[in-house]
Amino acid sequence: MNFRNAQYLVSAARYDQCPPDEGVEVAFAGRSNAGKSSTLNALTGQRNLARTSKTPGRTQLLNFFTVTDDVRLVDLPGFGYAKVPTRVQQAWNRTLDHYFRGRESLQGLVLVSDIRHEPSAFEQQLLDWCSDAGLPVLMVLNKADKLSRNQVAQTVLRRRKVCGSANSALRVIAFSALKKQGLDELRAAVTAMLHAEQAPGEKNPDPTGE
Ligand code: GDP
């Protein structure tokens, strides 16, 4: 998949404002400052792609980017901002809940975390939504350049253990948007999600066929 062709399409504040539910898409989520924008920029080889999602007024929206006519990347609202009123958080939760449950074209979630931070309650919530919807999750442990090789390896193993039970289709990779470490793996994993073969209406067929 040539992610370099990614272009901003549209932003949605509510589920009914999303573009038509056709083709395939992969969503990106992450706590604010984890490096979600840097990861999207590294993936697409575009320095400013995700800046679009950071312009005032857009940080609380779902921002859609097209890669081809029927392939999209979706930048979900960054979470973890200290000063978001509860009522706004509840509205996001409703929109995201609706999105994860209803969006047929959604093939998987890339969850960008700072490798030095433990998973938050909201990350757990995202894993639960994906698990309920039968969606695979790629957990990108970003800022791996901040830790030693040994610490990185241990954190990846621990995270697989802690979060793997909440989502059986979870994959964890170490990544550094800064050093472009893990970029080939990220590209391959997102491409695989977008190409995942499936029967209509079945997001994550049981590999055992049962
Ligand atoms: P977002 O809020 O999740 O979109 O995060 P940004 O992509 O804006 O990054 C937040 C901060 O982390 C910025 O200062 C980035 O330069 C820094 N950052 C992002 N990725 C990395 C990384 O892989 N390593 C290091 N050391 N810093 C990073």
Side-chain angles (χ1 to χ4, degrees), residues 31-38 54 142-143 145-146 176-178:
R31 198 183 172 84
S32 143
N33 219 36
K36 176 165 58 83
S37 307
S38 307
K54 284 205 154 182
N142 189 35
K143 308 197 186 181
D145 55 279
K146 296 269 193 186
S176 166
L178 185 72

Side-chain angles (χ1 to χ4, degrees), residues 130-142:
C130 289
S131 190
D132 290 348
L135 284 171
V137 177
L138 176 70
M139 194 175 268
V140 172
L141 300 183
N142 189 35

